[in-house]
Amino acid sequence: KQEVTQIPAALSVPEGENLVLNCSFTDSAIYNLQWFRQDPGKGLTSLLLIQSSQREQTSGRLNASLDKSSGRSTLYIAASQPGDSATYLCAVRASTDSWGKLQFGAGTQVVVTP
Amino acid sequence: NAGVTQTPKFQVLKTGQSMTLQCAQDMNHNSMYWYRQDPGMGLRLIYYSASEGTTDKGEVPNGYNVSRLNKREFSLRLESAAPSQTSVYFCASSAQGGDGYTFGSGTRLTVV
């Protein structure tokens, strides 16, 4: 069974510092991996989606890398801002899945202090 | 605005009561999902519907039933609520194959 782990569970950084969030998964047979952001009391917003054939995806200050063979993905957020404070979750979709079912990590709660 | 709408946003039930959580999407997505989120455990899939008229169990289906009423609507029913079902419930939808995942804002359910 696929296990998705995010370490650390919580992270606090001063404004301007780069954020590095880690996600590991036990089964490398994935179709894709997504990073989501969740604000308190809100739903999840998709940030980046990396297909299994890709090594990275970028959107503005966000960059996500994928190393399938080692079962790892990293989300980099450059020059963090207080508005980046949120919980970040990664989720994988198995290569054998036809219906878009996702397996989630527990998330990393990020606080960016002014 | 296009998206996934869930009702209600908050609910308190007594043990043994029943209720239905409603979900509707207006993005013409084929697939819909119900997840629950518990502290420290991430989101876990309860049920999903790959297309109108089909439903299937996810990781934690016990104690729940679902109905895919039409392409837009996917409801989750608790027949006899238990304290272990206290959680935040999220509905989501995606295009065929899982692209364009969109989540609702959640229903916070407390069973006392």
Side-chain angles (χ1 to χ4, degrees):
Chain A
K1 182 193 170 198
Q2 177 76 270
E3 302 275 348
V4 181
T5 304
Q6 293 185 248
I7 296 174
L11 184 61
S12 180
V13 298
E15 182 177 3
E17 194 167 296
N18 295 333
L19 278 165
V20 180
L21 306 178
N22 298 304
C23 173
S24 62
F25 47 94
T26 55
D27 187 348
S28 62
I30 65 169
Y31 184 81
N32 60 35
L33 183 145
Q34 287 193 68
W35 283 93
F36 292 88
R37 169 184 171 136
Q38 185 177 27
D39 293 291
K42 305 289 186 182
L44 283 69
T45 301
S46 181
L47 297 174
L48 290 168
L49 184 150
I50 312 176
Q51 301 293 349
S52 62
S53 58
Q54 297 176 313
R55 293 300 298 256
E56 66 176 351
Q57 274 285 3
T58 299
S59 176
R61 294 185 294 113
L62 276 60
N63 173 276
S65 66
L66 175 64
D67 185 341
K68 240 182 23 169
S69 60
S70 67
R72 292 183 182 180
S73 176
T74 303
L75 178 66
Y76 301 89
I77 303 177
S80 61
Q81 304 167 359
D84 294 327
S85 298
T87 297
Y88 293 83
L89 297 97
C90 69
V92 300
R93 178 184 166 194
S95 59
T96 53
D97 173 67
S98 301
W99 311 118
K101 304 191 300 294
L102 300 180
Q103 188 74 31
F104 281 85
T108 295
Q109 186 175 19
V110 171
V111 174
V112 180
T113 55
Chain B
N1 291 336
V4 178
T5 303
Q6 289 183 239
T7 56
K9 293 189 182 304
F10 301 93
Q11 184 72 48
V12 178
L13 289 178
K14 293 182 179 179
T15 297
Q17 286 186 318
S18 62
M19 78 161 295
T20 300
L21 281 64
Q22 306 287 353
C23 175
Q25 53 93 6
D26 58 7
M27 294 171 290
N28 203 35
H29 283 166
N30 287 316
S31 300
M32 297 187 73
Y33 316 85
W34 278 104
Y35 288 89
R36 60 178 287 174
Q37 184 177 34
D38 301 295
M41 298 188 71
L43 278 77
R44 292 179 293 168
L45 182 66
I46 305 171
Y47 269 93
Y48 67 99
S49 172
S51 61
E52 183 179 352
T54 67
T55 61
D56 212 339
K57 296 177 180 178
E59 182 182 354
V60 288
N62 291 345
Y64 306 95
N65 285 302
V66 291
S67 296
R68 183 75 182 266
L69 305 171
N70 48 55
K71 191 171 186 178
R72 290 186 66 247
E73 299 173 289
F74 188 38
S75 62
L76 178 71
R77 182 161 178 85
L78 287 71
E79 291 291 351
S80 179
S84 61
Q85 294 179 304
T86 293
S87 187
V88 182
Y89 291 85
F90 288 100
C91 178
S93 70
S94 73
Q96 191 68 41
D99 292 335
Y101 238 93
T102 304
F103 280 83
S105 59
T107 296
R108 189 172 296 273
L109 175 68
T110 302
V111 183
V112 298

